[in-house]
Amino acid sequence: MSTFVDRYPDEARVVRATLVVSFAALGIGAFFGLIQALHRTGYLRIIDSTDYYTVLTGHGVLLALVFTIFFLLGLFTWAVTRSLERPMPNIRLTWAWFGLSTTGAVFAAVAIVAGLFPSLDMSADVLYTFYAPLQAHPLFYIGLAMFIVGTWIAGADWFLAYRSWRSDNPDERIPLQTFMVLTTMLMWYLSTIGVAVSVVVFLIPWSFGLIETVNPLLTRTLFWYFGHPVVYFWLMPAYLMWYTILPKLAGGRLFSDPLARVVFVLFLLLSTPVGIHHQYLDPGIAEGFKFIAMTNTMFLLLPSLLTAFTVVASMEHGARQRGGEGYLSWLGSLPWRDPAFTGMALAGLMFAAGGFSGMINAGMNINYLVHNTLWVPGHFHLTVGTAVALTMMAGSYWLVPQLTGRRLYSRPIALFQVVLWFIGMVFMSNGMHRAGLLGIPRRTAEPQYQSFDFSATIGSVTELRIQMAIGGTLLFVSVVLFLFNVLLSAIEDPIEMPVDDSLPAPLSGADGSPVVLDNLRLWTAIAIVLVILAYSLPLASIVSDGGLFGESGTFPVFIEAVYWIVGVVV
Amino acid sequence: MKLTRGGVLVLVGISVPIVLELRTFLGFFDIELPLIAVAVLELLFLVGVAVAYDRLNGSRSAGS
Ligand code: HEM
Ligand SMILES: [Cu+2]
């Protein structure tokens, strides 16, 4: 018997390297998260409030972009290699994208952290959304661009691997994991065009002073064109693990391979034409476009519900294989002592809760109530912060042994760690959601204004602050335990078979499903059409209103009045 | 069903915010629950779970 590292030592090395970058970002980002949680609740203030944006930018960029995406890069390389059963076509290319994206991430991180040192003339306090009018040092945008190009090359690497597999296997169905990787990357190519145009054409020249102004609404819209699909770029690696690894850990097999393919195709089609749902409160976009974005968003419920069904059905199948019985008592037969299983299952559970608050965000009118309040971080700490992050950590307990040939240092600590994350997040996200309903804003160091108090009809704001502070602290402890456990696992002695790394075939295989599902060209073409339909009119009207570079003269009326007064006085 | 240490942790972790929110819920009906009542309720709940668990499993596995 052999494991991944024995079969593909070169690939295992790259995957390990991506995980090292990913986990380093997780550690630093979580520390920033703790600082924020304690600072804005007022319990411990080790930074100056003026540095809050720097820390918040570091937190958002390092966790939401670097930790998640580097994990994805590693996971997808693993998935393509093992499901195609062949090494990467050109390992130099693989190292090249790793080097490029790592350099880019380091550039961006340096530009952000430099903001904490006043003596350095560099900062990037632009938050992870980095759109105008906030401006960062050019190094930040350049790093970002390199990072994105790195992911593009990684995608090309996987497509090349697929192509060489295809020439040897002309009539076979695409292996499921590779299918998931390819559809995700097609979505990524389509959606990163927006952010690439924004960064390369507008933000980089602007930060160098080559152009005076940018059209803020245009860069925002280009950002959100990418900003919604990026959430699926976080989520798809988690889905890949829920569909292909979780059923195995539960003791069974995936319920339906064709259904999994349908879900990934739906995400390719539906993720991009919805970004305007982040701009319900942006002036300058007509209500009608916002309404269309809302309807499109509601369609995205479908693949999510299909996933809930398939994954739970697979878990139930696993439990029944292990002797589980009854309507609900089969739940007791699941392997709850296995940290990889328990972590993923708890992550899935919290994702359901996050789905509910997500539906509220998506509703155009209710969104006005929670927009830019702490409700929003409450929501996405359940989705990306738990469904994705916890699945990645839990999955690591199963993946890392395959990549190192060493056993996990401690299963009990791992189990405790995933449960601690769950509990910490129950507290923090509950506090955040409720605080948001009271109107407490997000993204501020000082939510307590002078002579103004937020008040809760029941309970008190203090209770919510306590929940957030306790939750944030537990989460940080959980990350420390995770890193500690993985680090110690990496220096264990190598053993023969550190983990059972086989993946059983699905109950209902790909053979019975329509061949058209594997027609990636067709799905890409439809996805492009949908994007054109959703975005061409709004973009055209934004550009015609505000100018490509924002230099058209339509100021809000009051600014003209100010000019007039200044003119009269001077 | 076996109650593990992890299971107990999850139970405590979820039940605390739920009893806290019970105050919000009752608030809709103009019933104000003091914080101390929440602590007592949580305690009763956990004792209840322990007793029920003991009843269900006591006959089979003594002492574990
Ligand atoms: C140790 C665990 C964590 C703690 C204590 C924590 C805490 C916080 C807090 C308190 C905020 C709100 C700041 C504000 O609006 O003023 C926040 C924002 C945020 N968190 Fe976390 N978080 C943690 C983990 C994560 C994870 C794992 C992710 C994603 C993978 C994440 C992504 C974000 C993002 C994207 C923001 C929004 C940044 C912005 O508004 O620009 N966090 N976090
Ligand atoms: Cu969105």
Side-chain angles (χ1 to χ4, degrees), chain A residues 126-190:
Chain A
V126 290
L127 307 173
Y128 83 111
T129 38
F130 57 85
Y131 39 61
L134 297 177
Q135 194 186 53
H137 189 275
L139 189 69
F140 174 80
Y141 300 115
I142 291 172
L144 220 53
M146 290 168 68
F147 179 44
I148 292 172
V149 174
T151 64
W152 288 351
I153 301 176
D157 198 13
W158 301 323
F159 270 97
L160 288 174
Y162 165 67
R163 206 176 63 176
S164 76
W165 172 87
R166 181 51 94 196
S167 64
D168 294 345
N169 303 275
D171 300 319
E172 270 186 57
R173 300 303 291 262
I174 309 175
L176 182 60
Q177 286 187 328
T178 300
F179 181 85
M180 292 171 159
V181 169
L182 299 185
T183 42
T184 305
M185 288 315 291
L186 288 171
M187 177 204 79
W188 184 243
Y189 284 124
L190 190 62

Side-chain angles (χ1 to χ4, degrees), chain A residues 33 36 40 52 59 63 128 380-381 432 442-444 475:
Chain A
Q36 284 158 207
R40 60 168 292 146
Y52 191 80
H59 179 74
L63 288 174
Y128 83 111
F380 62 64
H381 280 92
M432 283 178 162
R442 68 186 280 206
R443 292 180 159 175
T444 169
L475 288 169

Side-chain angles (χ1 to χ4, degrees), chain A residues 315-537:
Chain A
M315 271 166 51
E316 178 176 347
H317 170 74
R320 296 201 188 277
Q321 295 301 303
R322 298 166 57 96
E325 280 167 7
Y327 270 128
L328 283 178
S329 33
W330 56 267
L331 281 168
S333 307
L334 288 167
W336 294 109
R337 281 170 183 281
D338 179 353
F341 171 81
T342 302
M344 286 192 207
L346 293 177
L349 191 66
M350 292 216 116
F351 187 50
F356 287 116
S357 59
M359 289 314 293
I360 288 170
N361 301 339
M364 205 168 141
N365 40 7
I366 321 184
N367 184 290
Y368 296 167
L369 186 71
V370 294
H371 204 91
N372 274 339
T373 67
L374 259 187
W375 168 284
V376 175
H379 159 73
F380 62 64
H381 280 92
L382 290 179
T383 49
V384 61
T386 299
V388 175
L390 184 54
T391 299
M392 288 179 172
M393 290 188 278
S396 301
Y397 291 135
W398 186 74
L399 284 168
V400 168
Q402 300 180 31
L403 299 168
T404 58
R406 295 148 209 265
R407 65 178 198 96
L408 184 63
Y409 171 71
S410 164
R411 274 166 69 102
I413 293 179
L415 192 61
F416 181 70
Q417 183 264 320
V418 293
V419 171
L420 197 62
W421 187 275
F422 180 77
I423 295 172
M425 204 51 98
V426 168
F427 278 100
M428 192 171 89
S429 78
N430 181 56
M432 283 178 162
H433 275 104
R434 277 200 58 195
L437 290 179
L438 307 181
I440 299 181
R442 68 186 280 206
R443 292 180 159 175
T444 169
E446 313 273 353
Q448 67 290 16
Y449 297 104
Q450 302 263 302
S451 339
F452 180 82
D453 265 335
F454 291 100
S455 66
T457 23
I458 309 294
S460 64
V461 173
T462 311
E463 282 168 40
L464 301 180
R465 290 213 184 105
I466 293 175
Q467 286 193 44
M468 280 185 264
I470 292 179
T473 310
L474 297 181
L475 288 169
F476 178 70
V477 173
S478 175
V479 169
V480 171
L481 289 177
F482 169 75
L483 294 175
F484 169 75
N485 208 352
V486 170
L487 200 69
L488 289 180
S489 309
I491 53 175
E492 287 272 323
D493 288 328
I495 52 174
E496 185 67 25
M497 194 63 200
V499 66
D500 170 14
D501 66 352
S502 64
L503 290 178
L507 275 175
S508 152
D511 296 336
S513 73
V515 182
V516 67
L517 276 180
D518 281 11
N519 189 341
L520 297 177
R521 283 209 181 83
L522 173 71
W523 302 123
T524 311
I526 299 179
I528 292 172
V529 171
L530 290 177
V531 164
I532 293 174
L533 286 178
Y535 267 99
S536 50
L537 287 176

Side-chain angles (χ1 to χ4, degrees), chain A residues 555-569:
Chain A
F555 297 110
V557 180
F558 76 92
I559 293 216
E560 274 173 325
V562 172
Y563 282 155
W564 183 80
I565 294 170
V566 172
V568 168
V569 173

Side-chain angles (χ1 to χ4, degrees), chain B residues 19-43:
Chain B
V19 272
L20 273 174
E21 295 309 335
L22 189 65
R23 298 171 75 207
T24 319
F25 178 72
L26 292 177
F28 293 133
F29 307 99
D30 284 334
I31 304 170
E32 278 208 31
L33 208 61
L35 213 52
I36 186 78
V38 168
V40 172
L41 271 178
E42 172 72 13
L43 212 69

Side-chain angles (χ1 to χ4, degrees), chain A residues 244-258:
Chain A
T244 64
I245 300 176
L246 188 59
K248 180 244 161 61
L249 296 177
R253 296 150 69 180
L254 172 61
F255 200 63
S256 163
D257 167 302

